[in-house]
Amino acid sequence: MPNASALRPDLQAIADMVEPGSSLLDIGCGEGDLLSWVLENKKVSGRGIELSQSGVNRSISRGLSVIQGDADTDLQYYPDQAYDYAVLSQTLQTLRHPDEVVKQLVRIARHAIVSVPNFGHWKNRFYLAMMGRMPVTKTLSYQWYDTPNIHFCTITDFLNLCEAMQLTIEKRLYVSNQGVPTYFNNNGLFANVFGEQGIFMIRR
């Protein structure tokens, strides 16, 4: 099982938000790094959904309860408030209907934790302004023609989405390019420039 140092900074920040002994659904769980860590270190009752068969196979080989599924279509089958937490990490921008998925997250769990790559980060702005091309960075590592990201957004965009959906933001933080998570309580203008990723805990 991985220890705290084995998690990416954004996954560690998410793990730190989760209460010990709670229940969690990790949507787009990849190879199960976050799920494995919270099961081992916080005794969470956790399950996962992953689109890729390779991710499902790797997760199952680690002893995790993970099924293959599509967040765009399959979350509707989960009952209301079935979990304490629903986690969607670095996946929202790949979905066809991100607003509908967010609506499902806050329906099936008391708290939803969503992380997004921030297209408004100053490096992306600088790259686009100077090079005239879509940025390729550590966080946004694909070329424009082969990226799975179909809905680029910024931290400010996500804050506006939550406001439009009348959702309560319980916690908000950004992760800098040094991997340092920082909480913020304002409109996020600073976070929108200097955060490579935004992480939010939200509820209805």
Side-chain angles (χ1 to χ4, degrees):
M1 291 287 185
N3 54 34
S5 61
L7 285 178
R8 296 193 323 247
D10 59 310
L11 293 182
Q12 185 61 57
I14 291 171
D16 290 342
M17 293 181 180
V18 175
E19 291 294 326
S22 57
S23 58
L24 180 147
L25 180 65
D26 190 359
I27 301 142
C29 64
E31 296 185 351
D33 290 345
L34 173 66
L35 195 56
S36 180
W37 195 94
V38 294
L39 262 65
E40 175 69 14
N41 294 278
K42 293 204 166 182
K43 310 307 178 187
V44 163
S45 172
R47 298 179 180 275
I49 304 174
E50 170 57 30
L51 183 62
S52 72
Q53 188 62 58
S54 60
V56 173
N57 293 344
R58 173 58 179 151
S59 296
I60 292 174
S61 74
R62 301 171 76 176
L64 303 173
S65 178
V66 174
I67 62 171
Q68 189 170 27
D70 186 338
D72 268 312
T73 58
D74 295 341
L75 295 182
Q76 62 179 312
Y77 301 113
Y78 286 82
D80 293 355
Q81 305 294 284
Y83 294 89
D84 294 316
Y85 299 94
V87 175
L88 188 74
S89 174
Q90 301 293 304
T91 303
L92 189 69
Q93 74 281 357
T94 69
L95 302 175
R96 294 187 297 276
H97 304 290
D99 55 338
E100 290 299 320
V101 171
V102 169
K103 185 184 300 183
Q104 292 293 337
L105 295 179
V106 297
R107 180 187 63 79
I108 65 179
R110 294 192 301 113
H111 311 279
I113 304 176
V114 181
S115 71
V116 295
N118 178 31
F119 193 73
H121 186 261
W122 72 266
K123 285 187 177 180
N124 297 329
R125 302 181 192 216
F126 183 79
Y127 192 104
L128 186 59
M130 299 304 295
M131 303 296 291
R133 297 190 290 114
M134 295 299 289
V136 178
T137 67
K138 179 177 66 176
T139 305
L140 299 167
S141 58
Y142 294 90
Q143 297 290 340
W144 68 269
Y145 51 82
D146 64 359
T147 179
N149 302 319
I150 59 176
H151 288 290
F152 288 109
C153 75
T154 68
I155 286 174
T156 298
D157 285 326
F158 190 82
L159 292 172
N160 290 340
L161 176 64
C162 290
E163 181 178 2
M165 297 179 67
Q166 299 182 320
L167 301 177
T168 298
I169 302 176
E170 300 179 280
K171 297 179 181 179
R172 64 186 81 185
L173 62 86
Y174 67 89
V175 180
S176 70
N177 59 336
Q178 288 83 28
V180 178
T182 303
Y183 283 89
F184 64 97
N185 295 310
N186 50 29
N187 59 12
L189 292 178
F190 186 89
N192 202 44
V193 174
F194 293 102
E196 280 203 335
Q197 302 172 56
I199 303 175
F200 308 87
M201 180 185 285
I202 59 177
R203 63 175 172 81
R204 285 193 292 195

